[in-house]
Every structure is written in C-alpha cells, then in structure tokens.
Amino acid sequence: MSLGRLANCSRCDALFVRVARDICPKCFQEVEKEYELCSRFLRKRENRGSNIHQVSEATGVSVKQITKFIKEGRISVEGNPELGYPCESCGFLIRTGNICESCIRGLKHDITQDLAVEKRLKEQEKAQEMVAAYRRKQVKDE
C-alpha cells in the first residue's frame, strides 16, 4: 500500500496528504454539503424548472461547483429541463460537453479557413520555388 504525498488543496490551498482527491478532507466535506443542498433543492417538484443561476442563488453554491456536479454525473439534467451549465467559450447554457453547437461550428469554420490559407501559402511557396528553379536554369543555359 502506497502512502499519499503532500499537496496543496485546489480549493483552499491548505497542505494535506493527498491520497485520492485534489482537495483536503475539510473541503471535501464542504463539497458534499454543497452537493446535498443542490440535490435537496432540485428534488422539490417546484424547483425542477430552475436554471443553474437560480439553483446557485437559492443554495449559495457557486455556478462553477454546480457545473462540476453536473459534469461528474452527480446532478442529472434529465429531470431538470432548464438545468444546464455555461459554454466554456461564450457562456450560453448547455447540457452536455464543454462548448455549445454554435461555438463548435465557429471553431470548425476557423480551422477550415486556417487550413485553406495554409494550403494556399504552400502552393504559393511551391510556385515561387519553381519560378526560381526555372530562372536558375535559364541563367545556366545562357
């Protein structure tokens, strides 16, 4: 059995012996209490239409932590039709992944444009090399 190693808690920066988590036992207990608050709030029928900001405001749990709960699968978006978390690019509320469809399309477009520019630059460079080679040949032939 291996012993843990010393690490700083990613939440409070306290020094602790890291065994399995990147947060100290005290912060882990706080996270569990936050999860319980969110879970209890969302179990009530009248709160099932709440979005992530309403859940955060009602429970005092940060949007970032609620997002973590959703991504970890601890809070399900299935029974909560308005519950989602912010896209990492634009902030639009999404239910899966890290970025929204609009940002994905934008990234794909940008990548396609970059590849096209890169291809044209390579073609232009190749054409310039061919012209230079032709000129060198002409100079040799003279």
Side-chain angles (χ1 to χ4, degrees):
M1 179 175 186
S2 68
L3 298 174
R5 63 176 209 267
L6 288 179
N8 289 85
C9 176
S10 63
R11 277 178 61 116
C12 70
D13 208 34
L15 191 63
F16 74 107
V17 177
R18 181 180 181 173
V19 178
R21 297 178 203 91
D22 64 341
I23 59 174
C24 68
K26 181 182 173 197
C27 287
F28 177 73
Q29 292 301 319
E30 289 174 16
V31 168
E32 290 305 303
K33 286 178 186 174
E34 290 175 347
Y35 168 71
E36 191 54 42
L37 281 171
C38 293
S39 179
R40 196 174 312 127
F41 177 80
L42 290 169
R43 273 191 227 122
K44 293 180 182 174
R45 186 177 305 272
E46 65 269 14
N47 297 332
R48 291 193 183 146
S50 301
N51 65 36
I52 195 167
H53 300 290
Q54 292 166 329
V55 174
S56 176
E57 190 175 306
T59 61
V61 178
S62 71
V63 169
K64 183 178 177 182
Q65 186 60 55
I66 298 169
T67 299
K68 223 174 171 183
F69 291 145
I70 295 170
K71 286 184 175 182
E72 291 170 349
R74 296 182 75 185
I75 292 179
S76 173
V77 294
E78 292 300 317
N80 302 293
E82 300 299 316
L83 192 59
Y85 49 89
C87 165
E88 290 181 8
S89 182
C90 70
F92 181 77
L93 291 183
I94 57 176
R95 295 171 63 84
T96 60
N98 292 319
I99 59 176
C100 66
E101 288 299 318
S102 177
C103 290
I104 288 172
R105 281 192 302 277
L107 286 171
K108 284 181 180 177
H109 176 73
D110 291 348
I111 289 169
T112 303
Q113 293 289 73
D114 287 348
L115 290 173
V117 167
E118 198 173 296
K119 182 180 177 183
R120 276 182 272 155
L121 287 172
K122 284 182 182 178
E123 288 171 353
Q124 185 179 12
E125 190 177 291
K126 188 175 180 181
Q128 288 174 343
E129 288 173 5
M130 289 174 69
V131 167
Y134 178 75
R135 287 186 179 150
R136 283 192 301 269
K137 186 175 187 296
Q138 272 187 327
V139 169
K140 264 187 183 179
D141 290 345
E142 291 177 358

